[in-house]
């Protein structure tokens, strides 16, 4: 397949989109970007860089002393004892050269066949480290998917993995990039080696390493500011962003970081997921290790956003991405594209692109997951387990309620007054473009109970490890989640996102007024909304209705929820009023329902708590019509081709993968294929029903929660 060739080196599996070099303006803009990244503190000082090198040198000495001790204890002969060796490799952000101040160093210790993982690495080496005064905060995690030891060496954070090779002697010039290094290695060793092999391969596959590093620093910083940097939460982690940026560098091999950042958003805004991102052709290898291949592996067809690692065995590095997190990220890509276009017209700057995402202003309703433990060590273990399971809650809600969407916050929050507690949050909203029916509810009690049961099945659970899930409205979000513990007195103003909200509020109000005039004779009908401009992300807002509810003598239980897409609002404005619901009960008790015509919203005539354990989400529910282009096809087809624009055609930028059929290993049709725990199940595609009495429009979505009161659920 044709590909870029520079200095005798080929990059990528397709032709580049453009071989054009930078303009004078690109040089100026790139300098501005580099200065901006330096000013925000993304680069470490020379002193810290030297200290890291000293720490790595000391770590290498420690593992060499350790292997001598193990060799002596196991009675190796003099020759093997003298040649006994272990070697330290680095990977991750440090190896890529994009780490910042205070970042940890991902390291790999490669040892010989007689130094075992359980008995020697987590035995003798752990003992040696625990007795060293320069080693602090030692936390071994032998039962992890990739076993590791975390600790600080002279104040520098280290994550240390171990690879046990079937060799008696580890040469000092060992090349782990060769596939033969994996022969006869156990699964944990293959996974441990994968990080180093992938990192080194990325650096080999980009045309210009310095431009790649600057662009990657930019995109990592952007992703963290916009709340989409977290592999465990279902977004993307460091290796995922590195692979995405590397592909852009291949498609624009002569571009500077200023242009690469802009093209990043342009390309991935229009990428037709689940077409995979590939830096090189996938090698099936000769060792029989399973590689990512949706033609043969049914589970691989369920991946929403495949980003394939370039080293054998090629795997999908982003299998955690769900439908909701994909929607959020594609919305953020669109926002980035819009801002970059505005920057080209001198209507925006780098500050605009890197504006933090106002998560606690984006939704009206949130799930709050609180966990606690008896002591600091137990809380650390409990947090690690709960964080690894939080994605399950998102998947369960998506699976059971295909018209409800979750937006998990990628980080936890801690209340300074409660040191042994921490909280996680998820924004909730109705799926965009789904019509609403009357009188139906989202009852997620069973879903939450299943999630809590899964979490409480933790193998190392001990008394004191507790978890509870509750519903919290936006105005009742606890203050400790805000900077300095101070709740903002008003929403963000003057930002790119707030301006889009204001623009939409003006246009949607005018549209709603026009619709009201046209339908004055029709009672209980839905107000219309202005059409959506597919190229612009608009914010929906219902502050006026919220103020009405706040001033009302009734407490609203069915409240409007804007359909913001990962922070980008939906233009749905107006209201829909359901017919009175009978026997609206919680736990067998019925509350009277009144309808306030002035507010046009169903309300309860009794007070309701602002924050309470999750019991039931009641909302007009209707079958879903999938409108997102990125999720409409899982057929890879004979040729996967992306069109970026009339000027930039990404011909063949995605991999060409032959079509596949769902079959089992013996060739029979695949039915009810078992899916492992962490894999997302395919979502059904319900039919769309139309009510003849009401013209189909985009209504305001009413999402409400009902509960008897606060309960503690373990």
């Amino acid at each position: 397949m044709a590909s870029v060739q520079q200095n005798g080196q080929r990059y990528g599996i397709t032709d580049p989109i453009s071989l054009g070099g930078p303009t004078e303006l690109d040089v100026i803009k790139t300098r501005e970007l580099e200065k901006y990244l330096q000013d925000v503190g993304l680069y470490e000082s020379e002193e810290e860089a030297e200290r890291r090198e000293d720490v790595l040198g000391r770590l290498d000495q420690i593992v060499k002393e350790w292997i001598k001790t193990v060799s002596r204890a196991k009675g190796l002969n003099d020759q093997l004892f003298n040649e006994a060796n272990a070697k330290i490799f680095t990977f991750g952000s440090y190896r890529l050269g994009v780490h910042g101040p205070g970042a940890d160093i991902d390291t790999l210790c490669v040892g010989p066949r007689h130094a075992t993982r359980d008995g020697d690495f987590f035995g003798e080496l752990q003992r040696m480290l625990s007795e060293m005064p320069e080693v602090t905060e030692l936390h071994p995690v032998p039962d992890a998917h990739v076993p590791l030891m975390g600790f600080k060496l002279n104040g520098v954070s280290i994550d240390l993995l171990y690879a046990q090779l079937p060799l008696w002697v580890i040469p000092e010039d060992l090349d782990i990039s060769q596939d033969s290094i994996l022969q006869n290695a156990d699964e944990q060793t293959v996974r441990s080696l994968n990080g180093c092999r992938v990192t080194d391969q990325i650096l080999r596959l980009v045309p210009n390493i310095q431009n790649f590093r600057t662009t990657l620093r930019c995109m990592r910083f952007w992703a963290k500011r916009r709340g989409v940097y977290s592999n465990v939460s279902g977004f993307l982690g460091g290796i995922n962003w590195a692979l995405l940026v590397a592909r852009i560098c291949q498609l624009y091999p002569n571009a500077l970081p200023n242009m690469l950042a802009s093209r990043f958003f342009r390309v991935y805004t229009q990428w037709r997921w689940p077409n995979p991102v590939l830096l090189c052709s996938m090698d099936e290898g000769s060792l029989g290790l399973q590689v990512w291949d949706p033609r043969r592996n049914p589970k691989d067809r369920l991946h929403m956003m495949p980003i394939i690692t370039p080293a054998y065995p090629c795997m999908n590095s982003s299998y955690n991405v769900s439908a909701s997190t994909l929607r959020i990220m594609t919305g953020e890509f669109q926002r980035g594209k819009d801002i970059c276009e505005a920057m080209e017209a001198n209507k925006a700057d780098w500050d605009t692109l890197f504006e933090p995402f106002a998560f606690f202003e984006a939704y009206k309703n949130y799930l709050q997951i609180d966990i606690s433990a008896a002591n600091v060590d137990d809380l650390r273990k409990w947090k690690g387990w709960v964080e690894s399971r939080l994605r399950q809650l998102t998947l369960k809600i998506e699976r059971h309620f295909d018209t409800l969407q979750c937006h998990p916050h990628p980080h936890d929050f801690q209340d300074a007054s409660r040191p042994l507690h921490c909280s996680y949050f998820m924004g909730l909203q109705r799926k965009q473009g789904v019509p609403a029916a009357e009188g139906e509810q989202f009852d997620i009690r069973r879903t939450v109970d299943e999630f809590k049961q899964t979490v409480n099945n933790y193998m190392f659970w001990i008394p004191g490890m507790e978890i509870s899930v509750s519903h919290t409205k936006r105005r009742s979000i606890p203050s400790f989640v805000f900077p300095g513990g101070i709740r903002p007195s008003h929403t963000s103003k003057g930002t790119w996102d707030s301006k889009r909200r204001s623009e939409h509020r003006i246009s949607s109000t005018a549209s709603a007024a026009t619709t009201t005039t046209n339908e004055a004779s029709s009672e209980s009908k839905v107000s219309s909304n202005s059409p959506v401009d597919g190229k612009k992300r608009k914010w929906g807002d219902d502050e006026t209705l919220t103020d009405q509810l706040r001033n009302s003598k009734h407490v609203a239980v069915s409240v409007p929820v804007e359909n913001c897409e990962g922070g980008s609002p939906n233009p749905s404005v107006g209201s829909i009023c359901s017919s009175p619901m009978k026997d609206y009960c919680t736990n067998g008790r019925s509350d009277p329902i009144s309808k306030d015509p002035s507010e046009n919203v169903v309300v309860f005539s009794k007070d309701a708590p602002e924050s309470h354990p999750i019991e039931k989400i009641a909302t007009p529910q209707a079958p879903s019509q999938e409108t997102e282009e990125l999720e409409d096809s899982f057929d890879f087809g004979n040729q996967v081709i992306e069109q970026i624009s009339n000027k930039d055609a990404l011909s063949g930028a995605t991999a060409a993968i032959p079509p596949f059929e769902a079959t089992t290993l013996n060739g029979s049709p695949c039915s009810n294929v078992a899916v492992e725990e962490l894999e997302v199940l395919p979502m059904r595609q319900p039919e769309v029903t139309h009510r003849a009495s009401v013209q189909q429009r985009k209504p305001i979505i009413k999402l409400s929660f009902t509960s008897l009161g606060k309960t503690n659920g373990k």
Side-chain angles (χ1 to χ4, degrees):
M1 192 175 292
S3 55
V4 182
Q5 185 170 358
Q6 290 184 347
N7 300 325
Q9 175 68 49
R10 291 184 176 182
Y11 302 100
I13 61 173
T14 65
D15 287 327
I17 294 176
S18 172
L19 288 172
T23 63
E24 185 175 344
L25 180 60
D26 286 329
V27 175
I28 296 174
K29 290 290 187 180
T30 293
R31 288 175 183 168
E32 293 177 357
L33 174 60
E34 291 172 344
K35 184 178 185 303
Y36 186 96
L37 298 179
Q38 290 175 348
D39 292 343
V40 296
L42 296 188
Y43 292 86
E44 66 179 0
S45 64
E46 293 184 4
E47 294 179 356
E48 185 174 359
E50 292 177 357
R51 187 156 65 97
R52 286 178 182 272
E53 292 180 2
D54 293 340
V55 165
L56 288 173
R58 175 59 181 143
L59 181 60
D60 192 60
Q61 292 177 357
I62 292 174
V63 298
K64 283 175 167 51
E65 295 171 3
W66 161 70
I67 204 63
K68 293 289 188 183
T69 302
V70 171
S71 300
R72 182 181 297 109
K74 298 199 173 182
L76 270 64
N77 59 44
D78 292 343
Q79 180 182 355
L80 289 178
F81 174 79
N82 293 330
E83 295 178 349
N85 188 34
K87 185 172 174 58
I88 290 292
F89 294 87
T90 61
F91 62 100
S93 62
Y94 183 81
R95 176 70 182 93
L96 289 172
V98 296
H99 61 288
D104 58 0
I105 305 178
D106 296 314
T107 58
L108 170 71
C109 173
V110 177
R113 62 187 305 167
H114 59 274
T116 64
R117 177 177 291 100
D118 295 334
D120 298 319
F121 182 76
F122 286 108
E124 178 62 22
L125 181 57
Q126 180 181 334
R127 183 195 63 77
M128 290 174 58
L129 292 173
S130 65
E131 295 175 354
M132 294 180 178
E134 65 266 40
V135 175
T136 58
E137 301 181 23
L138 177 62
H139 298 304
V141 192
D143 57 329
H145 184 66
V146 181
L148 60 87
M149 277 196 290
F151 55 91
K152 285 188 176 181
L153 180 58
N154 290 328
V156 176
S157 296
I158 301 287
D159 284 339
L160 181 61
L161 283 59
Y162 182 63
Q164 179 186 1
L165 298 184
L167 303 173
W168 285 107
V169 177
I170 302 298
E172 194 63 27
D173 60 350
L174 178 68
D175 182 6
I176 61 174
S177 66
Q178 300 298 318
D179 293 350
S180 59
I181 203 77
L182 304 176
Q183 193 165 7
N184 299 323
D186 60 73
E187 290 186 8
Q188 291 175 320
T189 291
V190 172
R191 289 196 291 265
S192 298
L193 286 167
N194 189 57
C196 290
R197 288 166 50 81
V198 168
T199 303
D200 290 347
Q201 189 73 346
I202 290 174
L203 294 176
R204 293 189 189 100
L205 292 172
V206 294
N208 185 302
I209 292 179
Q210 186 55 48
N211 288 342
F212 164 74
R213 285 174 171 165
T214 302
T215 308
L216 181 54
R217 282 186 187 273
C218 170
M219 299 316 304
R220 283 164 56 97
F221 180 61
W222 171 83
K224 292 175 181 178
R225 298 280 280 187
R226 299 304 298 174
V228 291
Y229 189 102
S230 173
N231 186 283
V232 70
S233 298
F235 296 106
L236 301 181
I239 191 62
N240 310 124
W241 293 110
L243 291 169
L244 291 182
V245 171
R247 185 66 182 121
I248 300 303
C249 291
Q250 291 180 339
L251 295 173
Y252 299 90
N254 298 321
L256 291 181
N258 167 66
M259 181 179 178
L260 291 172
S262 173
R263 295 305 181 263
F264 179 96
F265 294 117
R266 177 183 294 187
V267 170
Y268 292 120
T269 292
Q270 302 189 44
W271 195 276
R272 290 180 179 268
W273 306 105
N275 291 336
V277 173
L278 293 165
L279 298 187
C280 59
S281 59
M282 290 189 295
D283 183 9
E284 295 188 1
S286 59
L287 302 180
L289 299 177
Q290 180 172 309
V291 299
W292 185 84
D293 188 348
R295 298 166 300 180
R296 300 179 181 178
N297 309 320
K299 289 182 294 186
D300 291 346
R301 303 169 200 167
L302 307 176
H303 293 167
M304 299 280 184
M305 191 180 189
I307 304 173
I308 310 304
T309 57
Y312 176 77
C314 298
M315 296 178 286
N316 177 23
S317 63
S318 53
Y319 62 87
N320 272 349
V321 173
S322 68
S324 285
T325 53
L326 174 61
R327 171 187 53 83
I328 293 163
M329 286 186 286
T330 52
E332 288 296 335
F333 292 158
Q334 180 65 53
R335 174 188 178 274
K337 175 176 176 288
D338 293 344
I339 292 176
C340 286
E341 291 175 353
M343 290 174 65
E344 293 174 1
N346 293 321
K347 296 182 179 179
D349 55 17
W350 293 113
D351 279 326
T352 309
L353 180 66
F354 297 124
E355 283 175 2
F357 173 57
F359 180 81
F360 293 106
E361 296 178 14
Y363 301 95
K364 291 289 184 69
N365 295 280
Y366 298 84
L367 286 184
Q368 179 175 340
I369 300 95
D370 297 302
I371 67 171
S372 60
N375 55 62
V376 174
D377 191 53
D378 287 350
L379 182 61
R380 178 185 59 81
K381 297 176 182 176
W382 189 228
K383 278 182 62 178
W385 170 252
V386 172
E387 286 176 357
S388 70
R389 302 290 98 182
L390 279 177
R391 177 175 164 271
Q392 295 259 324
L393 180 56
T394 302
L395 294 181
K396 287 178 182 294
I397 292 176
E398 288 179 351
R399 190 176 305 156
H400 297 164
F401 308 96
D402 54 8
T403 56
L404 191 61
Q405 294 174 333
C406 292
H407 184 168
H409 194 285
H411 306 296
D412 66 285
F413 297 87
Q414 287 191 293
D415 187 350
S417 64
R418 306 174 70 195
L420 297 179
H421 295 71
C422 71
S423 302
Y424 302 87
F425 292 86
M426 291 185 180
L428 291 177
Q429 70 176 15
R430 191 172 184 76
K431 178 175 282 189
Q432 190 174 15
V434 176
E438 297 183 4
E440 296 183 348
Q441 304 172 0
F442 284 146
D443 185 349
I444 68 170
R445 287 175 295 183
R446 179 177 298 179
T447 303
V448 170
D449 288 342
E450 290 177 1
F451 165 72
K452 290 166 64 177
Q453 183 178 0
T454 299
V455 171
N456 284 320
N457 285 336
Y458 181 40
M459 182 182 301
F460 302 101
W461 184 92
I462 59 176
M465 293 180 174
E466 302 291 342
I467 180 171
S468 63
V469 182
S470 60
H471 161 238
T472 302
K473 294 183 180 179
R474 180 170 63 190
R475 58 179 174 268
S476 301
I477 292 293
S479 299
F480 63 79
V481 307
F482 300 104
I486 301 175
R487 179 186 299 275
S489 58
H490 50 75
T491 58
S492 303
K493 294 182 179 180
T495 65
W496 175 276
D497 295 334
S498 65
K499 291 177 181 177
R500 293 302 171 274
R501 280 201 303 266
S502 299
E503 291 174 2
H504 167 69
R505 194 158 52 237
I506 294 173
S507 62
S508 59
T509 301
S511 175
T514 302
T515 303
T516 303
T517 302
N518 293 338
E519 299 186 357
S521 60
S522 302
E523 296 182 1
S524 301
K525 290 201 174 184
V526 183
S527 299
S528 75
N529 180 40
S530 58
V532 180
D533 181 356
K535 296 184 180 179
K536 299 293 182 182
R537 307 176 68 213
K538 297 185 178 180
W539 285 72
D541 202 293
D542 49 6
E543 294 177 355
T544 303
L545 184 55
T546 301
D547 293 338
Q548 291 177 346
L549 297 177
R550 187 180 295 113
N551 297 329
S552 172
K553 63 182 179 180
H554 299 298
V555 177
V557 177
S558 180
V559 297
V561 175
E562 65 274 33
N563 254 347
C564 47
E565 184 168 334
S568 340
N570 173 42
S572 301
V573 177
S575 60
I576 182 170
C577 187
S578 302
S579 59
M581 293 176 288
K582 296 181 179 180
D583 298 329
Y584 195 116
C585 305
T586 50
N587 200 17
R589 182 174 178 180
S590 179
D591 292 325
I593 296 178
S594 63
K595 192 180 296 184
D596 188 340
S598 65
E599 297 174 2
N600 198 23
V601 62
V602 178
V603 296
F604 282 88
S605 58
K606 59 181 291 185
D607 292 340
E610 293 297 325
S611 177
H612 51 71
I614 185 65
E615 290 289 343
K616 184 178 295 186
I617 300 180
T619 180
Q621 185 180 12
S624 166
Q625 181 179 11
E626 185 57 67
T627 60
E628 298 182 24
E629 180 183 13
L630 298 176
E631 300 179 36
D632 62 1
S633 173
F634 281 78
D635 180 12
F636 288 86
N638 291 321
Q639 182 72 22
V640 182
I641 298 177
E642 299 304 325
Q643 296 296 330
I644 297 304
S645 67
N646 292 333
K647 295 181 180 180
D648 291 339
L650 183 55
S651 177
T654 52
I657 300 181
F660 60 86
E661 296 180 356
T663 59
T664 58
L665 294 179
N666 59 12
S668 60
C670 181
S671 176
N672 298 328
V673 179
V675 179
E676 65 184 20
E677 186 178 17
L678 287 181
E679 301 297 338
V680 56
L681 293 177
M683 295 165 53
R684 65 180 183 273
Q685 199 80 1
E687 299 178 356
V688 179
T689 58
H690 299 276
R691 291 160 50 192
S693 60
V694 180
Q695 183 179 355
Q696 290 299 306
R697 303 180 186 276
K698 288 188 175 180
I700 189 169
I701 303 303
K702 293 183 173 19
L703 180 65
S704 65
F705 300 74
T706 60
S707 172
L708 278 177
K710 188 95 178 175
T711 59
N712 290 325
K714 173 183 158 186

